[in-house]
Amino acid sequence: MPLLLLLAGLLTTAAAAPAAPEQLRVNPAQIARAGIATTPALAALPAAGAEAAGNDQYLAGTVVAPGTALALASSALGGVVQQVHVASLQRVAAGAPLLTLFSQPWLELQREYLQLAAQARLAGAKLARDEALFGDGIIAAARLEESRSAAQLAGLAADERRQALRAAGLDAAAIGTLRAGRPLSPMLTVRAQYAGTVLELPVSPGQRIEAGAELARIGRDGPLWVELQASRQQLALIRVGDLLQAKGCGKLRVVAISPVVNGANQSALVRAEQTERDACLKINAYVEARLLRGAAAAAGAGGASGVAGTAGVAGTPGVVGTATPAGAVALPAAALVRRGADTFVFVKRGAGFAVVPVRATAAGADMVWAQGALAAGEPVAVRGIVALKGIWAGLGAETGTEPAAKTAAPTGGK
């Protein structure tokens, strides 16, 4: 009888213990390919910390490329396009070949350089002999000066052609190889000067190109600009250096505010720059951004909206009630995932993500309170959710990589 009672007690304890969260094993390569990003769970809403919604001021605008982000590729010499090595929207590294031209002027430039380089060597040798003869008192100083002038002019002419070769695309090693006896070639390769993405490539094989013509436009890697329209009331709240939260993307920093107001709509241009390079912004895309201000600034502006327990989160599955639950953490509403009637979040733990069930409560704006086996500071997935849901459903195997697997997390582990 005591043995039966002991077994019954163990079974009751095991049934009462909560089930361990399901674990999705996801390797770093899969995380990078799927664009999965996380944000830490917060013990308090941003309004109580470093940032808060700046009186819920929203601005709209368009993504543009900075003036320094556009590079043009051209050829210093004319010719006929023989081969195109890249396509539009293709990423290229600095020095990558873009296209090859058949150029008769390129052939003549190489010949002229070799001819002038040979003359410079002869002039230098003659100068050395005359210096020796002058030292022995055999020739006059005037003849030595003539040799020096001739050697200097010959060197300048050869250097001028060498710089033309450099401008056309030959580096120092290739020029040295040419001087060492490499056969002359009429094939001129135009290369990318900077790393980036080929935006336009308006040439095709057989097309005749004039010297200096535009051959390609390359968007250089780097942060993009967003040009936003601000009303006169919003201009009173915005300062250079303020942060903006782009909807569905990263943060922007205000770098310039136009001193001129548009007479038609009484708005002014506000230019913001990405704080870090993020592929979610595309040139010419329409963007909405919310002004982020410090808690003190928000309070001085009349209080920031987005206080917990005041507003619901429209369209957010699994959000119930409006009161702030005890022991909950604050998360972006985009982190929530629904399966049936239950709500979950993906928490980065160990070698993958744990599927943690939560009970979500509206916290205002785009935030929710999440109550479950989740601690403040733990990284929660907010982007790449679709990929994680696919892995959760058993669709995570990829060719050439270790398949994503689902395992049970150890009891009590995170």
Side-chain angles (χ1 to χ4, degrees):
M1 181 65 68
L3 180 60
L4 293 177
L5 292 175
L6 178 59
L7 291 175
L10 291 175
L11 291 174
T12 302
T13 304
E22 188 175 6
Q23 183 76 14
L24 308 180
R25 191 168 70 247
V26 188
N27 60 47
Q30 289 173 307
I31 292 175
R33 280 194 294 271
I36 299 172
T38 62
T39 188
L42 302 177
L45 286 173
E51 291 180 349
N55 210 22
D56 277 343
Q57 298 297 322
Y58 289 87
L59 296 87
T62 306
V63 181
V64 299
T68 57
L70 184 63
L72 299 181
S74 60
S75 173
L77 304 171
V80 178
V81 178
Q82 297 294 301
Q83 183 179 3
V84 178
H85 301 287
V86 297
S88 59
L89 304 184
Q90 178 178 335
R91 288 191 54 81
V92 294
L98 300 176
L99 50 89
T100 299
L101 304 176
F102 178 89
S103 175
Q104 185 65 29
W106 173 243
L107 186 66
E108 296 173 356
L109 180 60
Q110 297 172 76
R111 177 186 57 77
E112 291 174 1
Y113 168 70
L114 293 178
Q115 180 179 350
L116 293 173
Q119 293 176 1
R121 286 197 300 270
L122 292 175
K126 183 177 183 299
L127 174 60
R129 289 194 303 269
D130 287 350
E131 287 177 342
L133 293 174
F134 178 76
D136 295 336
I138 299 176
I139 63 173
R143 178 175 168 180
L144 178 60
E145 290 300 324
E146 290 177 359
S147 297
R148 284 176 177 170
S149 298
Q152 183 180 17
L153 293 176
L156 289 174
D159 186 65
E160 185 269 335
R161 287 296 186 271
R162 184 176 65 84
Q163 294 297 334
L165 291 176
R166 291 292 298 271
L170 280 189
D171 57 16
I175 293 176
T177 304
L178 179 64
R179 292 183 59 178
R182 189 189 73 176
L184 304 184
S185 172
M187 309 306 292
L188 171 60
T189 300
V190 180
R191 301 180 180 274
Q193 294 185 352
Y194 306 97
T197 302
V198 178
L199 303 178
E200 296 181 21
L201 193 68
V203 294
S204 57
Q207 181 177 346
R208 178 170 291 278
I209 301 298
E210 299 296 331
E214 177 185 325
L215 302 180
R217 286 176 176 258
I218 299 177
R220 299 174 60 181
D221 294 337
L224 299 175
W225 287 349
V226 180
E227 293 189 344
L228 305 154
Q229 296 295 327
S231 66
R232 295 180 62 182
Q233 293 77 13
Q234 291 173 329
L235 287 173
L237 302 174
I238 301 174
R239 301 290 184 271
V240 172
D242 284 348
L243 288 177
L244 297 164
Q245 176 65 57
K247 186 175 181 181
C249 197
K251 290 184 174 60
L252 312 170
R253 186 177 301 278
V254 177
V255 295
I257 301 175
S258 173
V260 179
V261 175
N262 188 313
N265 55 18
Q266 293 297 295
S267 67
L269 182 67
V270 175
R271 177 174 294 158
E273 184 180 58
Q274 284 181 296
T275 57
E276 58 184 17
R277 179 61 171 163
D278 195 328
C280 64
L281 287 185
K282 306 292 184 183
I283 295 177
N284 296 331
Y286 175 80
V287 171
E288 290 184 355
R290 184 184 67 190
L291 178 63
L292 301 177
R293 305 295 295 274
S305 64
V307 178
T310 58
V313 181
T316 302
V319 174
V320 293
T322 57
T324 302
V329 294
L331 296 174
L336 301 181
V337 178
R338 185 171 182 175
R339 174 177 279 191
D342 299 322
T343 304
F344 303 85
V345 293
F346 296 114
V347 184
K348 184 71 174 69
R349 292 175 182 170
F353 286 83
V355 184
V356 179
V358 296
R359 181 178 179 84
T361 304
D366 297 326
M367 303 293 290
V368 296
W369 291 109
Q371 191 175 24
L374 179 62
E378 286 196 281
V380 179
V382 291
R383 284 175 49 196
I385 301 295
V386 174
L388 289 173
K389 290 175 66 176
I391 295 174
W392 189 17
L395 306 177
E398 298 185 20
T399 303
T401 62
E402 179 185 358
K406 298 191 291 183
T407 61
T411 304
K414 292 186 180 182

